[in-house]
Amino acid sequence: MPDLALLGGQPVRTEPYPRWPVFDDAEVQSITKTVLSGRWGGSPFPGPNTVEFSEKFSELMGGGIALPMINGTITMEVALRAAGIGWGDEVIVPAYTFQATAAAPMMAGAIPVIVDISADNYCIDPQEVERAITPKTKAIIPVHIAARMTDMDAIMDIAKAHNLIVIEDAAHSHGACWRDKCSGTIGDFGSFSLHSAKIITTGEGGVLLCKDKNMAERVASLIDCGRPKDANKQNFTMGENYRWSELHAALGLVALERFPSQMDQREEMADYLEESLNGFPGIRFLKRDPRLTRRSHYRYIIKIDPEHFGCNNATFCYVLIAEGLPVDTGYPPMHRYNLFQPQLSKLPVPAAFPEYFDFDAMSFPVAETAAEKEAVWMGEAIFRAGKKGIDDLVNGLLKLQQNRDKLPQIAVEFADKIDAYNLPIQFLKKKV
Ligand SMILES: *Cc1c(COP(=O)(O)O)cnc(C)c1O
């Protein structure tokens, strides 16, 4: 039986997985053309590259008015502002997502009301959403993660019944489809990140897809210093400068060209991964809803059985990383992010509503189990390294399986390093 690399054996893989972003001369040419045009900035908004990008992005997603801006956090904040959501309002967000999903409502002055996820797909649980609704609730921000999508039928029904705005956080799901409709086109707004790690990227950037023309005009005004976008209005309103540059758009135009074939490639390898891991002891897949008609892969998440392996996901990942495999434990549960501690915030919201910010009293059992015991995240790069990339991962898992009697001891011996190595754990306000 081969020794674990962590204990001095040979790693399963020494070759790095393919880098991201992918680029070649096409990006250089597009940027060069924009540099030579002399039109670098975003003002007057939108510039020609941005207009072209917006049209192509809407077309690719099959709907909505696309408004690019500086990132995929501001997108959600301005969607809330455009919908008139702010002080005293409540916005329902899942307990298992990047902090941005809850930070955006806070920055708009609203209260993020955190609810648990479904154990089936790690996306927000519609029943928990329903339970969290109060007269102050104004919006829901479902986040589609793990190559899965939120049950959008249930979310849209709830939103309709309670007159709520839906902002889909599609930062992980560019191109994924629910009943053949792309993520981000089902709710009132779809928020996309173009951050360096995301599967359509311009280094930094975001796109807000708006269903409604009036809302889109308001958003365009909000991100362009409050300049009027509606021909009837003469005056500036309150707004900020969240404009995207033409240089970003130059990269975005090439990224959109590359995207469809990258998506197909990842999907083909995801199928191969699932075939290869089918029936693997102690490993389960998240449920695949038949209404999810097209998948998109940013982070693929499997569930491990901690009892079977004798360790939690953090130790599991630590051992696999030593084997040369790109895995991690993903997000902490939302209530463990340090930045939501009221003492760190001068926002008036916590003082007015202390009960919403008692993070120690909060409990989200499904998100906690995912984050602290079961979830193993894989970077999309494993789907761009051919069958060998998947085979290496499977061989790493087999090796770990064969050595699982050593894992409890590794968990104890390397405890400090495992905590330090797993990035999400560094965000936690207390050890779990
Ligand atoms: C990346 C991401 C965002 C937004 O990120 P930006 O860096 O602001 O573009 C929002 N939500 C989720 C779930 C994300 O992963």
Side-chain angles (χ1 to χ4, degrees):
M1 185 198 318
D3 260 352
L4 290 172
L6 184 67
L7 305 177
Q10 285 298 315
V12 163
R13 188 176 169 104
T14 46
E15 191 192 339
Y17 276 86
R19 70 183 175 190
W20 185 258
V22 167
F23 57 87
D24 62 21
D25 200 43
E27 277 79 4
V28 177
Q29 277 182 21
S30 187
I31 284 283
T32 304
K33 200 173 132 205
T34 304
V35 169
L36 295 176
S37 80
R39 176 77 155 85
W40 300 354
S43 183
F45 184 83
N49 289 351
T50 300
V51 169
E52 190 183 341
F53 178 90
S54 303
E55 283 164 5
K56 289 188 168 157
F57 192 87
S58 300
E59 198 181 299
L60 185 67
M61 298 306 165
I65 302 161
L67 289 162
M69 56 194 84
I70 57 172
N71 62 56
T73 305
I74 286 299
T75 41
M76 293 186 275
E77 186 185 326
V78 296
L80 290 163
R81 286 189 197 280
I85 297 167
W87 304 116
D89 296 332
E90 294 176 1
V91 177
I92 298 175
V93 302
Y96 197 50
T97 175
F98 188 50
Q99 62 89 7
T101 315
M106 284 176 88
M107 293 307 179
I111 300 159
V113 173
I114 305 166
V115 307
D116 212 347
I117 52 169
S118 156
D120 285 345
N121 63 4
Y122 286 171
C123 297
I124 201 165
D125 182 340
Q127 284 182 359
E128 295 294 323
V129 170
E130 197 131 39
R131 214 167 291 157
I133 290 172
T134 75
K136 292 185 209 149
T137 309
K138 293 286 154 52
I140 314 168
I141 312 186
V143 186
H144 312 300
I145 66 166
R148 300 293 181 269
M149 276 182 72
T150 310
D151 179 346
M152 286 307 290
D153 295 348
I155 294 295
M156 295 312 289
D157 283 350
I158 294 168
K160 204 169 166 203
H162 298 272
N163 197 22
L164 308 176
I165 293 284
V166 175
I167 303 166
E168 292 174 75
D169 184 344
H172 291 210
S173 62
H174 312 64
C177 291
W178 181 262
R179 293 184 185 279
D180 296 328
K181 283 179 118 183
C182 276
S183 73
T185 66
I186 303 165
D188 301 275
F189 297 97
S191 166
F192 296 82
S193 171
L194 307 178
H195 169 274
S196 315
K198 301 286 158 64
I199 56 174
I200 297 179
T201 183
T202 57
E204 297 286 355
V207 185
L208 187 65
L209 274 185
C210 309
K211 216 176 219 174
D212 177 85
K213 188 166 166 284
N214 291 327
M215 284 287 186
E217 279 172 357
R218 261 192 247 174
V219 169
S221 175
L222 278 165
I223 64 173
D224 188 21
C225 309
R227 285 191 174 81
K229 300 294 171 186
D230 168 348
N232 302 320
K233 292 197 198 107
Q234 300 300 318
N235 288 321
F236 277 51
T237 51
M238 193 184 94
E240 290 178 79
N241 173 10
Y242 295 143
R243 289 184 306 260
W244 204 38
S245 81
E246 286 292 283
L247 292 163
H248 285 106
L251 291 173
L253 286 169
V254 188
L256 292 183
E257 298 280 317
R258 294 190 187 282
F259 181 67
S261 69
Q262 290 170 337
M263 206 170 146
D264 290 347
Q265 181 189 20
R266 291 188 189 103
E267 176 64 3
E268 191 187 329
M269 286 301 115
D271 283 342
Y272 179 61
L273 171 74
E274 289 177 352
E275 275 165 41
S276 307
L277 281 185
N278 193 15
F280 197 102
I283 289 179
R284 279 173 300 145
F285 300 117
L286 295 173
K287 204 169 140 193
R288 190 166 170 181
D289 194 302
R291 292 168 293 178
L292 177 68
T293 46
R294 189 166 73 184
R295 293 192 295 182
S296 169
H297 299 279
Y298 169 61
R299 295 290 181 263
Y300 191 88
I301 308 182
I302 55 169
K303 280 190 196 186
I304 63 154
D305 177 357
E307 302 258 310
H308 175 82
F309 289 104
C311 71
N312 66 9
N313 53 347
T315 301
F316 193 95
C317 288
Y318 191 69
V319 173
L320 280 183
I321 289 164
E323 299 294 342
L325 301 167
V327 295
D328 63 79
T329 55
Y331 299 131
M334 182 60 86
H335 60 309
R336 299 228 208 271
Y337 277 105
N338 245 332
L339 68 172
F340 295 113
Q341 293 312 289
Q343 67 272 23
L344 295 182
S345 168
K346 290 266 167 71
L347 288 170
V349 177
F353 304 95
E355 72 275 17
Y356 289 104
F357 287 85
D358 188 358
F359 281 71
D360 288 326
M362 288 181 186
S363 155
F364 305 105
V366 183
E368 285 165 37
T369 302
E372 292 155 10
K373 294 194 176 86
E374 291 184 348
V376 171
W377 290 40
M378 301 166 187
E380 57 72 40
I382 60 160
F383 299 133
R384 288 187 292 112
K387 286 192 167 174
K388 169 112 177 26
I390 304 294
D391 293 343
D392 286 344
L393 177 83
V394 174
N395 287 334
L397 293 168
L398 278 170
K399 199 170 165 188
L400 197 140
Q401 166 75 19
Q402 287 160 358
N403 286 280
R404 75 197 154 106
D405 58 320
K406 304 194 182 87
L407 298 178
Q409 179 58 29
I410 288 174
V412 175
E413 210 173 298
F414 291 87
D416 287 352
K417 287 193 179 126
I418 290 169
D419 275 12
Y421 207 90
N422 276 278
L423 185 67
I425 291 172
Q426 295 172 19
F427 288 117
L428 301 188
K429 69 184 156 103
K430 62 183 178 203
K431 285 250 169 72
V432 290

